[in-house]
Amino acid sequence: MVKHVCIVGAGPSGLVAAKTLLHDVPAGSYKVTVFEAQSRIGGLWPASKEDAGGLVHPHMVTNQSKHTVQFSDLAWRDSDPQFPRAWQVGQYLERYLNEYRGADIRLGHKVLKADLENDGTWNVQTESDKGPESTTFDYMLVATGFFGKPIWPSHTLKEARVPIIHSSKYRDLKSLLSGSEGRGGKILIVGGQMSGIETAATIATHLSSAIHSPEEKAIEEPEKYSVHHIIHRPSWVFPLFTSPKPAVSAPPFLPYDLPSYNLANRPQPLANTQGHISVDAARVSNTIYQSVLGTNQSEFSTETKIDGELLDEQPFLAMSSYYMDFVRSGLIRISKGRLSSFSENVATVEPTNEQITDVAAVVLATGFDPSPSLSFLPPSVLETISHSPSHPNLPVALAFHGTHHPSLPTLGFVGLYRSPYWGVMEMQARFIARLWTSAPQSRTPALQQALEDDDSIARTLALRADPRTSQFPMGDYAFLMQEFARALDIPIVPFGDTPPLVNGKPMDVLTPARYPLPSSSLSPATQAKQQEQVSQSLRATHETVLAGLSHARFVAGAVFRSLLGEWRLERTLSSRLPSHPSGRFEGTARFHLREGTLDGRPHSHGAKSELGLGLEYLYVEDGTFTARDNPALSFRATRRYVWRYDEESDKLSVWFARTDDPARADYLFHEVEFLLPSEDSGAAAAETEREKGWRARASHLCVEDLYDVHYDFRFNAVNLREWTLGYTVKGPKKDYTIEGIYQR
């Protein structure tokens, strides 16, 4: 007999739940209706570049790569970037829905109330533009997500002399400052965890671009603004690409989640690393993070430093490519503490009583309250699942990793925890489907044992009062995937061979595609297509790992990211012609981040990319040149270039600046070609060569003058510690060599 299921929410968790109930169980088991309050599917994820009305900016970059932000049986396109934009995630979900049809998706239908009847069925009341409607279902699955309502601190006015918005509503400087009375001041960011760091870096990028762009200014006098960030304590800030070999000067780079979810680095079976964090566990984790980043972050600011007693505290993580270097540059300034009050345009921080004056706007990165997402549930159900609005990180206590409550056999949950992983959402949906489809007496031994051993409810309730609860208390990704796979008897498929790391083991990267579950209700042809999607996804991840470990993939992007800010520059010029004096230059080189410009670009350099023009640097060099043979000959010397990184081709390029408008690129100087450490003398010799840094070269013929360019980029884990640039110039009237070294 077909059972009718109501799913509340058509975001990732609702869509994967619908697909699972329709395609991963015997055909005809369920009829699925999905109610979605919005006029589109996708939940947080917009479906187009122009869809800016939701809680996520359509151009926001995901903080996990496409190898993690995926379901097991739908691969991303090869042309999609490693870290998709939000609108691309929305389009992925539309593809997923089109691939696995069958659910009755009712857009624009808000669930107002759901009553649990005595027989276990659910009477669900909805409202749409057609009016109210009431329907009875055998089961209900909650997939409303964690982003119920932005948290607005009680001591912060919703209306003031300056604009105050939640970080989910930030789109650009112009709209943020449209209600500001003056010109200039501090843009105050409140909240020091992931969204606060991401928002501060985004606004700093927009400010830097407004200051240094040759285009029309987004706001008036942008140079008079800065970012002031209030944090409670520092977080480890990871760039989006890190290295599985951080100790060498020429480290290979990969999307950060691939080394992070390398199962070869963890003892088996996996233990949960989240929840309660002991002092010893905190020390181990903090040491690992410091090793990956190569720093305790003191080089950026004393306020970002993590050392001493902080190493005993549970770590907090955030992802941002440019936040730390904006802090070092001074465009972002940090205050430690909590916002205690805000009046006129002055913020007070406790416990220091520091007053931050001249505030031009406030952006609250204070997170979300998930409780409104559950408001349709009856009070008796909320009481059963121990709903607590005062614990926004752990609002409910559910069995087996957030899926159900034993006292409510016709109610299920998918994705209702902080920062849910797509692989875990898929596993939760599979678990609910198995639980509902199999009678208690016919459950497999593995499933029955998992239910008997589960302590998720008691663990959740204990963590609510635990001062050492981790940032993401639900459980770590790899552990959760292991536990669901055990309960459901889903084997993990092999990853494939990779070059060994320092521990002598190949990488064993976890992705959702490593736990495929063939859909039993699909036709043979569709099942074959589904398996091809799994294989394509596994192949893409494996090829990405090989490209990073065995080639120079992603190095150009790591160099580009790490250039931001000011460098000390010392350069010698050795000329073999009297017309060009030899000498020494000392000064600074500044890399100013800005939105990409079209100037000088042919189509081959990103002019037609669907990702847009990306970011670029305006390079400004300023210092003093002193002649070697005549020290009295000393003068100020400046030059400008534009540095660009094309994400699609993974190419770094340098462009001459126009003489009549030095903020604009003129024409291409050279593309930087990174050289692989030679394997000719064996792997040991190649590793020795890696200790010297990443070498690169380029060549450029400028009329009759040939420029042979060489670089040497030396990293300290993820950040450049120093780099050299030299070139030999030969032509009818030129014959000289330049060698320069850049240091922080």
Side-chain angles (χ1 to χ4, degrees):
M1 181 175 168
V2 177
K3 298 292 187 180
H4 291 235
V5 179
C6 162
I7 296 178
V8 186
S13 54
L15 295 179
V16 75
K19 178 262 179 185
T20 303
L21 290 168
L22 289 169
H23 299 292
D24 294 352
V25 299
S29 296
Y30 299 103
K31 179 181 178 182
V32 175
T33 301
V34 182
F35 293 118
E36 170 55 56
Q38 298 184 93
S39 60
R40 59 160 176 81
I41 67 158
L44 290 175
W45 302 103
S48 71
K49 299 177 185 179
E50 293 74 33
D51 183 1
L55 296 178
V56 170
H57 194 298
H59 295 282
M60 183 196 79
V61 178
T62 60
N63 60 17
Q64 294 173 338
S65 77
K66 64 182 182 181
H67 309 283
T68 302
V69 181
Q70 62 166 233
F71 295 128
S72 65
D73 45 14
L74 185 66
W76 285 86
R77 300 173 303 175
D78 290 341
S79 60
D80 289 320
Q82 294 294 321
F83 289 87
R85 292 3 178 210
W87 64 270
Q88 292 175 309
V89 178
Q91 292 192 347
Y92 175 94
L93 291 171
E94 289 187 338
R95 287 175 50 216
Y96 187 77
L97 179 61
N98 290 331
E99 196 72 31
Y100 300 105
R101 295 176 176 273
D104 178 13
I105 308 286
R106 300 188 186 181
L107 301 177
H109 282 67
K110 182 177 182 180
V111 175
L112 300 176
K113 189 178 181 183
D115 290 321
L116 178 61
E117 306 296 341
N118 292 333
D119 61 355
T121 60
W122 293 88
N123 182 267
V124 179
Q125 299 177 36
T126 62
E127 185 176 57
S128 68
D129 56 7
K130 296 180 181 179
E133 185 179 357
S134 180
T135 312
T136 298
F137 296 90
D138 298 297
Y139 295 93
M140 185 168 71
L141 193 149
V142 178
T144 49
F146 219 66
F147 296 86
K149 181 181 179 182
I151 293 176
W152 199 282
S154 58
H155 50 265
T156 304
L157 299 175
K158 291 194 174 182
E159 294 184 4
R161 284 182 50 191
V162 302
I164 303 177
I165 66 169
H166 191 266
S167 58
S168 60
K169 295 300 182 182
Y170 177 77
R171 295 294 178 266
D172 53 55
L173 291 172
K174 186 175 182 180
S175 59
L176 172 64
L177 298 170
S178 60
S180 182
E181 296 178 355
R183 295 181 185 174
K186 304 178 184 73
I187 299 175
L188 187 66
I189 314 298
V190 181
Q193 293 195 35
M194 295 184 76
S195 62
I197 285 170
E198 180 182 359
T199 302
T202 298
I203 293 178
T205 300
H206 291 173
L207 274 178
S208 179
S209 185
I211 294 168
H212 300 290
S213 173
E215 310 297 344
E216 182 180 352
K217 302 300 183 185
I219 57 174
E220 295 185 33
E221 300 180 289
E223 66 280 358
K224 292 186 177 180
Y225 290 90
S226 63
V227 178
H228 203 113
H229 190 192
I230 299 176
I231 67 172
H232 178 56
R233 50 167 289 186
S235 297
W236 295 108
V237 181
F238 280 65
L240 296 182
F241 291 84
T242 60
S243 178
K245 296 182 178 180
V248 297
S249 294
F253 284 90
L254 290 171
Y256 84 91
D257 45 346
L258 302 191
S260 296
Y261 308 140
N262 177 16
L263 299 178
N265 285 339
R266 295 180 61 174
Q268 302 291 326
L270 301 175
N272 191 5
T273 62
Q274 298 298 313
H276 172 81
I277 305 298
S278 67
V279 171
D280 287 343
R283 289 172 180 167
V284 169
S285 295
N286 284 312
T287 300
I288 291 173
Y289 300 147
Q290 182 169 339
S291 173
V292 172
L293 296 175
T295 175
N296 66 2
Q297 303 186 152
S298 59
E299 66 199 68
F300 301 99
S301 167
T302 57
E303 305 301 330
T304 58
K305 179 172 63 174
I306 299 177
D307 66 354
E309 293 182 355
L310 282 176
L311 296 176
D312 295 342
E313 299 296 326
Q314 60 269 47
F316 283 78
L317 308 182
M319 283 74 197
S320 175
S321 294
Y322 300 108
Y323 176 84
M324 297 302 285
D325 280 310
F326 274 130
V327 170
R328 171 159 44 194
S329 74
L331 188 56
I332 297 177
R333 184 188 165 193
I334 296 174
S335 291
K336 281 185 184 176
R338 297 184 185 274
L339 178 66
S340 61
S341 65
F342 187 82
S343 178
E344 300 291 330
N345 64 346
V346 178
T348 302
V349 180
E350 61 178 10
T352 61
N353 286 324
E354 175 190 3
Q355 291 203 328
I356 303 170
T357 60
D358 195 26
V359 174
V362 180
V363 181
L364 301 172
T366 44
F368 289 83
D369 177 7
S371 291
S373 298
L374 304 172
S375 60
F376 57 87
L377 292 174
S380 60
V381 169
L382 291 173
E383 182 179 358
T384 299
I385 62 177
S386 302
H387 174 239
S388 175
S390 60
H391 295 91
N393 287 340
L394 293 164
V396 294
L398 300 171
F400 207 77
H401 310 298
T403 54
H404 70 289
H405 195 283
S407 301
L408 302 165
T410 59
L411 177 64
F413 295 82
V414 171
L416 189 67
Y417 73 96
R418 188 179 181 195
S419 200
Y421 285 79
W422 288 42
V424 174
M425 287 190 281
E426 187 173 39
M427 286 292 202
Q428 288 178 319
R430 292 169 174 176
F431 188 89
I432 289 295
R434 185 76 61 85
L435 204 61
W436 288 353
T437 305
S438 57
Q441 62 272 18
S442 62
R443 288 171 182 161
T444 64
L447 179 58
Q448 188 60 40
Q449 192 65 51
L451 292 169
E452 291 175 3
D453 293 345
D454 179 51
D455 65 349
S456 297
I457 292 176
R459 178 177 173 275
T460 299
L461 295 175
L463 287 173
R464 285 178 174 175
D466 188 347
R468 297 194 63 89
T469 298
S470 62
Q471 184 179 11
F472 305 109
M474 171 75 171
D476 77 68
Y477 172 42
F479 170 78
L480 290 174
M481 293 293 281
Q482 168 192 271
E483 295 304 287
F484 279 109
R486 280 179 172 176
L488 299 172
D489 292 306
I490 302 175
I492 187 170
V493 301
F495 180 66
D497 291 334
T498 72
L501 300 184
V502 177
N503 60 8
K505 299 178 182 178
M507 292 189 71
D508 187 20
V509 178
L510 172 65
T511 72
R514 294 191 64 189
Y515 288 106
L517 184 65
S519 294
S520 58
S521 65
L522 297 176
S523 67
T526 306
Q527 284 189 31
K529 186 177 179 181
Q530 180 189 40
Q531 182 54 47
E532 174 54 32
Q533 288 290 307
V534 173
S535 299
Q536 181 181 335
S537 181
L538 289 169
R539 185 168 56 249
T541 304
H542 188 250
E543 289 175 355
T544 298
V545 171
L546 292 181
L549 292 181
S550 302
H551 305 285
R553 186 79 187 275
F554 311 124
V555 174
V559 168
F560 180 84
R561 170 194 56 79
S562 201
L563 289 171
L564 191 152
E566 181 177 307
W567 295 82
R568 289 183 289 109
L569 170 58
E570 297 179 2
R571 178 188 292 130
T572 57
L573 186 151
S574 301
S575 176
R576 286 166 285 279
L577 296 176
S579 57
H580 286 74
S582 299
R584 181 177 180 82
F585 173 92
E586 293 184 355
T588 61
R590 293 182 175 90
F591 287 83
H592 299 295
L593 193 65
R594 68 187 192 186
E595 297 290 335
T597 56
L598 268 172
D599 299 319
R601 292 179 190 254
H603 294 335
S604 60
H605 283 82
K608 292 238 172 168
S609 168
E610 69 173 6
L611 297 179
L613 297 175
L615 297 171
E616 65 185 28
Y617 289 115
L618 176 63
Y619 171 97
V620 180
E621 182 181 302
D622 193 4
T624 301
F625 177 83
T626 303
R628 182 182 63 193
D629 299 328
N630 182 13
L633 178 60
S634 181
F635 54 87
R636 182 187 177 195
T638 65
R639 73 173 65 180
R640 295 188 177 207
Y641 295 103
V642 174
W643 286 55
R644 289 169 168 163
Y645 173 65
D646 181 53
E647 186 175 354
E648 288 186 353
S649 64
D650 192 37
K651 289 287 187 181
L652 183 65
S653 59
V654 185
W655 302 66
F656 288 110
R658 284 169 48 174
T659 55
D660 61 329
D661 189 352
R664 292 188 180 276
D666 194 355
Y667 59 94
L668 179 65
F669 182 8
H670 59 260
E671 283 190 343
V672 180
E673 177 191 359
F674 287 87
L675 306 176
L676 292 172
S678 174
E679 300 285 351
D680 295 341
S681 302
E687 286 303 307
T688 300
E689 197 170 333
R690 281 190 181 275
E691 294 295 338
K692 300 177 182 178
W694 277 106
R695 293 181 300 116
R697 66 187 177 192
S699 184
H700 171 74
L701 181 63
C702 182
V703 190
E704 297 179 303
D705 302 323
L706 180 64
Y707 290 73
D708 279 327
V709 187
H710 58 270
Y711 293 89
D712 188 355
F713 297 101
R714 290 185 281 276
F715 278 85
N716 176 27
V718 298
N719 295 305
L720 279 174
R721 71 171 188 268
E722 66 177 28
W723 55 286
T724 61
L725 165 59
Y727 45 91
T728 299
V729 184
K730 289 194 174 183
K733 297 181 180 180
K734 294 181 180 179
D735 188 0
Y736 60 86
T737 299
I738 290 178
E739 297 289 344
I741 183 168
Y742 295 75
Q743 297 174 311
R744 288 293 190 185

